[in-house]
């Protein structure tokens, strides 16, 4: 999502520079700050696109939970709605789909792999 928002990582070809060291030691704070605020990127647009992508992952996760529950309950709609409502009201799901991390995407991928 950040790629489509126009976020480009800083040039890290020189390992002796501060940017190169941040890349080498996975300093996410430094890399994120440089990518969003020191470049020519619109930080608000990038954050909006990233949060939108995470919200879509959360909604897709709830749909996958509904599909799995529907398969487990052999098509019973009411038995499938309970896990769907529980997943959509889960505080962890709500918290992780509001921030731009890999947690929501990882949850979706793990559910799709079952």
């Amino acid at each position: 999502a950040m790629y489509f928002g126009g976020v480009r990582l800083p040039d890290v070809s020189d390992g002796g520079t501060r940017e190169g060291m941040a890349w080498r030691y996975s300093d996410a704070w430094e890399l994120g700050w440089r990518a969003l605020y020191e470049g020519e990127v619109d930080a608000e647009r990038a954050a909006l696109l990233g949060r939108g992508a995470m919200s879509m992952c959360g909604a897709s996760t709830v749909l996958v939970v509904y599909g799995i529950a529907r398969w487990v309950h052999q098509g019973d709609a009411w038995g499938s709605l309970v896990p769907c409502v529980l997943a959509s009201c889960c505080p962890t799901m709500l918290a992780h789909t509001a921030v731009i991390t890999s947690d929501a995407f990882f949850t979706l991928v793990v559910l799709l792999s079952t």
Side-chain angles (χ1 to χ4, degrees):
M2 301 295 273
Y3 176 76
F4 294 117
V7 175
R8 301 291 181 259
L9 291 176
D11 184 25
V12 293
S13 58
D14 186 11
T17 63
R18 182 177 177 191
E19 295 85 9
M21 296 304 284
W23 184 260
R24 177 176 287 162
Y25 294 109
S26 300
D27 188 0
W29 177 262
E30 178 69 26
L31 291 173
W33 182 266
R34 289 189 52 78
L36 286 175
Y37 297 109
E38 292 183 7
E40 62 272 353
V41 175
D42 182 15
E44 288 185 21
R45 181 173 182 263
L48 180 67
L49 288 173
R51 284 185 176 178
M54 293 303 104
S55 296
M56 294 301 292
C57 285
S60 299
T61 299
V62 172
L63 289 176
V64 170
V65 166
Y66 179 74
I68 291 172
R70 187 96 185 204
W71 179 71
V72 167
H73 293 287
Q74 285 120 11
D76 182 29
W78 290 107
S80 304
L81 281 177
V82 172
C84 183
V85 169
L86 289 175
S88 64
C89 295
C90 175
T92 305
M93 270 290 276
L94 293 173
H96 286 285
T97 55
V99 294
I100 307 171
T101 61
S102 60
D103 298 337
F105 182 72
F106 179 75
T107 303
L108 176 63
V109 169
V110 167
L111 274 177
L112 284 174
S113 68
T114 56

